[in-house]
Amino acid sequence: MIKLLNLRSSLLQEIVRKEGDIDSLITRIEEIKERIDSQIDMPENLEQWHNDMHKAKMKLRFEKNRVTSLRCELIEVETEITKLDYENK
């Protein structure tokens, strides 16, 4: 039971970290969009900004998928904890 509770705690912490990463990526994407839209940079720099945008979007997608996976794992752990708790009563 203690092992499951520790795993639950670790999963919750990882979810919070990943959600922070997602927020940072969203902010980064917004900054890149503003930079591209304002066309502050020379045209040769815009290609790099588009590449950065693509990388940030791909990373965002990956992080969102990872959070979903962690949440599924958390549900499985919480279900096991509930079963064990029910059996011990």
Side-chain angles (χ1 to χ4, degrees):
M1 178 77 137
I2 297 298
K3 188 176 180 179
L4 286 172
L5 292 172
N6 287 336
L7 180 56
R8 180 181 181 271
S9 175
S10 295
L11 288 168
L12 286 169
Q13 290 175 32
E14 187 65 21
I15 289 168
V16 169
R17 282 189 205 100
K18 292 293 178 187
E19 287 173 343
D21 292 344
I22 288 169
D23 289 342
S24 294
L25 284 166
I26 289 170
T27 301
R28 177 74 175 140
I29 289 169
E30 289 169 357
E31 290 170 355
I32 294 170
K33 279 182 185 176
E34 287 175 14
R35 188 137 191 158
I36 290 171
D37 290 344
S38 68
Q39 297 181 350
I40 292 172
D41 290 315
M42 301 299 285
E44 59 270 9
N45 294 338
L46 288 177
E47 184 178 338
Q48 181 60 43
W49 286 113
H50 284 287
N51 289 340
D52 290 350
M53 172 78 80
H54 176 72
K55 288 177 188 174
K57 284 182 176 180
M58 295 303 291
K59 178 81 171 164
L60 178 61
R61 185 177 300 139
F62 173 81
E63 295 298 346
K64 284 181 174 182
N65 287 338
R66 183 66 183 131
V67 168
T68 300
S69 185
L70 289 168
R71 286 186 189 281
C72 290
E73 190 175 346
L74 177 62
I75 289 168
E76 290 173 5
V77 169
E78 287 178 339
T79 301
E80 278 301 309
I81 291 170
T82 303
K83 284 179 185 176
L84 286 173
D85 189 45
Y86 181 76
E87 290 172 359
N88 290 332
K89 288 184 179 181

